[in-house]
Amino acid sequence: MSQTSDSCLDKWMGREALAEAMIPVIGRLYRENNVVTSIHGRSLINKSTMNILKAHRFARRMSNHELLLEETAPLLNALSELELGAAAIDIARLTEKFRAEGNGASLDEYLRAELAEIVGKRGADDRTSTDVVLYGFGRIGRLLARILIEKAGGGHGLRLRAIVVRKGAENDLVKRASLLRRDSVHGSFEGTIRVDEEANTITANGVQVQVIYSDNPATVDYTAYGIKDALVVDNTGRWRDAEGLSQHLQSKGAARVLLTAPGKGDLKNIVHGINHRDIADDDKIVTAASCTTNAITPVLKAINDKFGIIHGHVETVHSFTNDQNLIDNFHKGDRRGRSAALNMVITETGAAKAVAKALPELQGKLTGNAIRVPTPDVSMAILNLNLEKGTTRDEVNDFLREMSLHSDLRKQIDYIDSPDVVSTDFVGSRRAGIVDGLATISNDKNLVLYVWYDNEFGYSCQVVRVMEEMAGVNPPSFPARDVVAPIAVLEAAGA
């Protein structure tokens, strides 16, 4: 029997009321306990009632199960009573696990057992704080700042302390703050920003950031600002080898360097989720590879582990970037001097070869090219692969969907099979890449995959994950394991 319009509205208002009641609970868990709550990796911190409702609806597409506020609201309330220590808790996965494995236990009993490691520790956080300096404040630098400010919590973990830029004008500080406050692609900053021109600081949501003017990375004295043992994140791309980047280590107060671009020479190119465990304590300089390498490597690893890759070609349809000209003018690179806003521009990409730095088993197996297109953000990688084992479109899609939900790559791989999605739908995605299941083409051992990626924000999230790994500031994550390891994932792991 179909519902009446009145009953539909009543049901909606009831769900709306539950979502509204969840907001202060989410806030208290965050402020008082250092607990970050999420739904399938989508953070609930500082989200509106509507965003919480949409996150619950999103979970249905992710797991084929309706995520009911009637279940998550009591779970959140129960969490708030447990005096938890610092943690990241996915309430969707925790709800599913309780539903499947509760075995008659009360919600409180189950949560006390599942979260025993942090119950009763009330905000205790064993992580040490790491000072962060952003060297450069362009597209990636400002997005990193937004993410770091969002994750500031009680001050543990990564602490954004300073940005270093070359002074561009007398009102430089105000302009920098304005660019942080407003973004044509990613929207307004969520919070408040204050500028102190006398102290040369920008304070965003209580996080005070020192603005330092310099054009020489070797001469900055960070200790003069109370900054020590800092992780310096070079967003300029000006230096890409060990010699150039080591200039940062000559500065007082700098301890390690992360480059937000592919590195040259023997520098470790890290794609989080793939080879982040290769970062050693004595690695002073590490690179976070490129946005494209981050988008395609997790998907390629999943496919290679499951089906084997003989050879592949990566074609990137990439949004234009700052290194191109708005109108035709001289450029040292081929074709990049032509107007980015008016043309599709064929150019080179090193992403295919760079994959092998993070995934050596694909050495020599990939070629690549790129087409820059007149959009400001969100790109697509088309993976044309020859496989060792034949497969079908449904098998591949089911496998990648499971990987996006239940594998160690779930922070990197997303999956969607909506018939009407376009590039702007993925602005703000926190995953490295999103597989478009409806576009998948499979003909036995020939496979074509379409992978969307926010080449700005999604990449920035990957950079922050590498930063957290370098600093050793990841909080414990719950639930530690899924309900049941999916067959596809077990097979991929060789079980």
Side-chain angles (χ1 to χ4, degrees):
M1 181 182 297
S2 62
Q3 299 181 20
T4 66
S5 59
D6 287 344
S7 65
C8 284
L9 183 58
D10 289 343
K11 186 176 181 180
W12 169 260
M13 292 178 67
R15 296 179 70 239
E16 197 172 31
L18 283 172
E20 286 175 354
M22 292 170 72
I23 292 174
V25 182
I26 293 167
R28 284 197 303 273
L29 283 167
Y30 182 55
R31 291 190 305 275
E32 299 174 9
N33 302 93
N34 291 320
V35 171
V36 175
T37 51
S38 63
I39 289 178
H40 287 303
R42 271 67 180 174
S43 174
L44 297 177
I45 307 302
N46 294 326
K47 299 304 181 188
S48 66
T49 297
M50 195 57 61
N51 283 333
I52 292 173
L53 288 166
K54 289 172 71 174
H56 279 73
R57 181 66 178 174
F58 168 82
R60 180 182 180 184
R61 176 171 62 80
M62 291 292 291
S63 61
N64 280 337
H65 295 293
E66 187 78 32
L67 184 60
L68 303 175
L69 282 95
E70 289 82 359
E71 292 178 311
T72 56
L75 185 140
L76 270 174
N77 288 328
L79 291 175
S80 69
E81 299 295 325
L82 296 180
E83 300 290 327
L84 299 175
I89 299 179
D90 193 315
I91 65 170
R93 295 173 59 224
L94 194 58
T95 298
E96 289 175 1
K97 199 169 181 214
F98 173 61
R99 189 189 297 152
E101 300 179 0
N103 295 324
S106 70
L107 181 59
D108 181 73
E109 291 170 339
Y110 178 79
L111 292 177
R112 285 183 180 277
E114 182 72 17
L115 308 176
E117 178 184 337
I118 57 171
V119 170
K121 294 192 175 180
R122 188 173 174 76
D125 196 332
D126 296 332
R127 296 175 296 171
T128 56
S129 296
T130 298
D131 290 346
V132 173
V133 173
L134 298 178
Y135 196 92
F137 206 52
R139 298 298 301 153
I140 300 301
R142 292 195 295 274
L143 291 178
L144 289 176
R146 286 190 175 201
I147 297 168
L148 292 171
I149 291 165
E150 172 192 297
K151 295 166 72 73
H156 296 275
L158 300 174
R159 299 177 63 214
L160 177 57
R161 298 295 308 280
I163 63 172
V164 182
V165 293
R166 288 180 289 183
K167 193 166 187 177
E170 286 304 312
N171 59 345
D172 185 275
L173 188 67
V174 173
K175 282 185 170 291
R176 302 283 180 186
S178 182
L179 284 169
L180 178 62
R181 182 180 288 115
R182 303 176 183 88
D183 191 284
S184 301
V185 174
H186 300 281
S188 299
F189 174 79
E190 292 188 6
T192 61
I193 293 176
R194 291 188 295 107
V195 174
D196 186 334
E197 294 189 79
E198 185 175 343
N200 247 29
T201 60
I202 297 172
T203 302
N205 292 356
V207 177
Q208 188 178 81
V209 183
Q210 184 70 49
V211 179
I212 302 170
Y213 293 109
S214 175
D215 58 4
N216 187 338
T219 59
V220 182
D221 183 359
Y222 296 113
T223 61
Y225 304 97
I227 299 169
K228 60 182 181 179
D229 297 326
L231 172 56
V232 179
V233 185
D234 189 318
N235 311 293
T236 66
R238 188 174 170 186
W239 305 278
R240 296 197 178 191
D241 58 11
E243 181 181 359
L245 291 167
S246 64
Q247 296 176 83
H248 291 293
L249 299 176
Q250 298 174 36
S251 294
K252 292 181 180 180
R256 303 179 85 179
V257 180
L258 175 63
L259 171 66
T260 62
K264 296 180 179 179
D266 295 329
L267 291 177
K268 290 181 180 177
N269 279 262
I270 301 298
V271 175
H272 195 275
I274 301 297
N275 64 336
H276 59 274
R277 292 182 180 86
D278 291 348
I279 302 173
D281 291 340
D282 59 355
D283 283 329
K284 297 298 183 182
I285 304 173
V286 172
T287 89
S290 72
C291 56
T292 303
T293 304
N294 274 267
I296 64 177
T297 304
V299 176
L300 288 168
K301 174 173 174 53
I303 293 297
N304 189 54
D305 286 350
K306 175 72 172 173
F307 304 103
I309 295 174
I310 298 173
H311 181 265
H313 178 77
V314 180
E315 193 70 39
T316 302
V317 182
H318 199 292
S319 294
F320 61 68
T321 60
N322 271 338
D323 82 318
Q324 293 174 258
N325 291 332
L326 285 178
I327 57 174
D328 290 2
N329 208 343
F330 175 82
H331 193 293
K332 64 180 181 180
D334 293 343
R335 308 189 206 230
R336 293 197 186 194
R338 301 299 299 277
S339 172
L342 296 176
N343 296 293
M344 293 189 291
V345 179
I346 297 176
T347 187
E348 70 285 344
T349 176
K353 290 183 179 179
V355 168
K357 281 198 169 186
L359 208 58
E361 54 263 43
L362 292 183
Q363 179 72 46
K365 292 186 176 183
L366 298 173
T367 58
N369 214 348
I371 304 170
R372 296 288 180 91
V373 295
T375 57
D377 185 32
V378 179
S379 301
M380 171 184 283
I382 304 168
L383 312 181
N384 196 329
L385 308 174
N386 296 322
L387 306 178
E388 293 176 0
K389 295 192 298 185
T391 185
T392 66
R393 175 185 174 186
D394 287 345
E395 182 185 17
V396 169
N397 282 345
D398 288 345
F399 169 66
L400 290 173
R401 183 174 174 278
E402 290 291 342
M403 292 296 287
S404 75
L405 288 170
H406 303 293
S407 78
D408 290 340
L409 293 173
R410 62 177 173 266
K411 290 183 179 179
Q412 283 73 43
I413 299 175
D414 206 348
Y415 177 88
I416 193 166
D417 56 10
S418 173
D420 288 313
V421 294
V422 292
S423 60
T424 55
D425 294 318
F426 302 105
V427 172
S429 171
R430 293 174 185 258
R431 306 288 183 97
I434 308 100
V435 176
D436 193 320
L438 292 185
T440 298
I441 301 170
S442 179
N443 182 14
D444 193 27
K445 295 184 179 181
N446 296 321
L447 175 66
V448 182
L449 295 172
Y450 289 74
V451 182
W452 299 96
Y453 58 106
D454 184 329
N455 48 279
E456 293 186 335
F457 196 81
Y459 174 68
S460 296
C461 289
Q462 280 286 89
V463 172
V464 171
R465 292 174 187 127
V466 175
M467 293 168 64
E468 290 172 335
E469 198 69 31
M470 293 178 72
V473 296
N474 287 307
S477 180
F478 299 95
R481 62 178 180 82
D482 288 307
V483 180
V484 178
I487 293 175
V489 176
L490 291 174
E491 290 177 349

